Amino acid sequence: MSHARSPKSRKYNVGLIQMSMGPDPKDNLAAAITKIHQAAELGANVICLPELFRAQYFCQREDTRLFDLAEAIPGPSTAAIGEAARETHTVVIASLFERRAAGLYHNTAVTLHTDGSIAGVYRKMHIPDDPLYYEKYYFTPGDRGFQALDTAFGRIGTLVCWDQWYPEGARLTALQGAEVLFYPTAIGWHPAEKAEFGVAQYDAWQTVQRGHAIANGVYVAGVNRVGQEQGDVLGNRAEGQGLEFWGGSFLADPFGRVIAKASHDSEEILLGEIDPTLLEDTRRNWPFLRDRRIDAYGQITQRFLDPVVSFPEQK
């Protein structure tokens, strides 16, 4: 389907699966498949799972044994999720720990067509390294660039979690015609910080993504996990208090309005409508893409613009 097709001829629903994870990856995969069927029954056409849904968030520590969680793409999980997509006639976005080669791993989002085939593979571009989020130990930065994909329902883009904070990724995906930016996510509070910073942290997370929606005239979906976790994988867990994943999954429209939002403490399937007509109307009134000064942005590819320390002599 071309994204140039008349927006007045179609609307579709997205289903955002906010779920909690247990210690057994097989159980988590089975739960995800059940939730895909439930989302389809609610009317979802494009369904997105949270980041790395097959396991509790294991990046809370550095442990070579946890590389055993990784799998090839295509592989067992894409086969199982693809079958669910085919049975429900939905498009599904599944975030997986990809084993690309020995010693080479990615945090990868796979988009599956309604026939179960793989539509696209996006490898997380921005990799964090913070206390209890030791992702640089596990994941190589993505090398496939930012992508938008045509599906049976519309043209969509997928990024992953830490990518949420970078306007460049959202812009480059939107410039390829994506109508919706999906961000499968695993983000939460450190228990010792929640009382002081919790509200502000969640607000910043939602606000920056609403900004992407406004600046690009697209829908944005943040799809988080929920629940207290210590990275328990078959009884192998991290020390300490762990993380409280804050849920709060949401869908924002091209005006930046939050049109659907989940709770902070429960599993939910969030349903929201994508109306390409609204995208068209919003961009006509806020023509940010028209007014971009692409002739003046060359320096954006530099790491930092160092201050001028000397000036040429005036003649």
Side-chain angles (χ1 to χ4, degrees):
M1 173 187 293
S2 170
H3 60 277
R5 178 180 165 188
S6 172
K8 294 183 179 180
S9 62
R10 58 187 173 86
K11 294 181 181 179
Y12 54 98
N13 294 323
V14 297
L16 314 183
I17 296 179
Q18 177 170 294
M19 61 184 287
S20 58
M21 288 61 169
D24 190 327
K26 291 181 180 178
D27 291 344
N28 294 325
L29 178 58
I33 290 172
T34 297
K35 292 179 184 298
I36 289 170
H37 283 270
Q38 292 172 343
E41 290 171 2
L42 292 171
N45 305 116
V46 182
I47 299 169
C48 186
L49 293 158
E51 183 184 19
L52 301 171
F53 68 90
R54 286 190 67 248
Q56 288 202 1
Y57 185 72
F58 54 87
C59 304
Q60 295 185 48
R61 77 285 202 186
E62 298 179 355
D63 186 340
T64 56
R65 294 171 294 178
L66 293 171
F67 286 105
D68 291 340
L69 289 169
E71 61 182 288
I73 296 174
S77 290
T78 55
I81 297 293
E83 179 64 13
R86 187 190 64 79
E87 291 174 348
T88 57
H89 196 69
T90 59
V91 171
V92 179
I93 298 163
S95 171
L96 300 170
F97 186 10
E98 178 189 5
R99 181 190 184 277
R100 185 176 177 184
L104 184 60
Y105 304 86
H106 295 281
N107 186 334
T108 299
V110 182
T111 301
L112 297 128
H113 280 308
T114 56
D115 64 359
S117 64
I118 292 176
V121 174
Y122 169 78
R123 292 171 175 148
K124 186 174 181 177
M125 295 285 279
H126 303 95
I127 311 296
D129 188 59
D130 286 325
L132 301 186
Y133 294 91
Y134 301 117
E135 294 200 14
K136 280 185 166 62
Y137 179 77
Y138 294 100
F139 308 128
T140 300
D143 56 359
R144 299 174 68 93
F146 302 101
Q147 306 170 23
L149 302 168
D150 282 325
T151 74
F153 305 103
R155 190 164 174 85
I156 64 174
T158 299
L159 301 101
V160 178
C161 199
W162 195 236
D163 293 328
Q164 287 157 335
W165 303 94
Y166 295 85
E168 298 89 347
R171 174 72 87 200
L172 287 168
T173 309
L175 287 177
Q176 296 176 60
E179 297 167 339
V180 192
L181 305 182
F182 289 92
Y183 290 91
T185 300
I187 191 168
W189 292 300
H190 293 78
E193 296 180 355
K194 180 181 177 181
E196 184 175 359
F197 301 110
V199 172
Q201 288 171 344
Y202 176 80
D203 185 63
W205 176 77
Q206 188 192 84
T207 299
V208 73
Q209 293 178 86
R210 291 173 63 197
H212 299 332
I214 296 166
N216 295 291
V218 295
Y219 288 84
V220 170
V223 191
N224 197 14
R225 61 173 68 200
V226 68
Q228 181 74 25
E229 295 186 19
Q230 287 182 273
D232 189 347
V233 180
L234 299 176
N236 172 18
R237 62 171 55 192
E239 297 179 357
Q241 293 180 290
L243 294 168
E244 181 186 345
F245 291 94
W246 65 45
S249 301
F250 71 96
L251 177 67
D253 73 8
F255 214 73
R257 296 170 293 199
V258 176
I259 57 177
K261 180 180 176 295
S263 69
H264 290 292
D265 56 8
S266 300
E267 293 189 312
E268 294 184 40
I269 297 174
L270 202 63
L271 200 68
E273 183 181 77
I274 305 302
D275 182 359
T277 302
L278 178 62
L279 186 152
E280 181 89 15
D281 290 344
T282 302
R283 285 186 176 181
R284 288 177 181 180
N285 288 284
W286 277 350
F288 300 139
L289 299 186
R290 182 197 68 189
D291 295 340
R292 293 177 64 237
R293 285 294 307 276
I294 58 175
D295 59 308
Y297 299 155
Q299 292 176 310
I300 197 69
T301 59
Q302 297 185 40
R303 177 69 63 186
F304 184 75
L305 301 180
D306 294 303
V308 175
V309 294
S310 62
F311 297 90
E313 213 175 287
Q314 298 294 319
K315 294 183 179 181

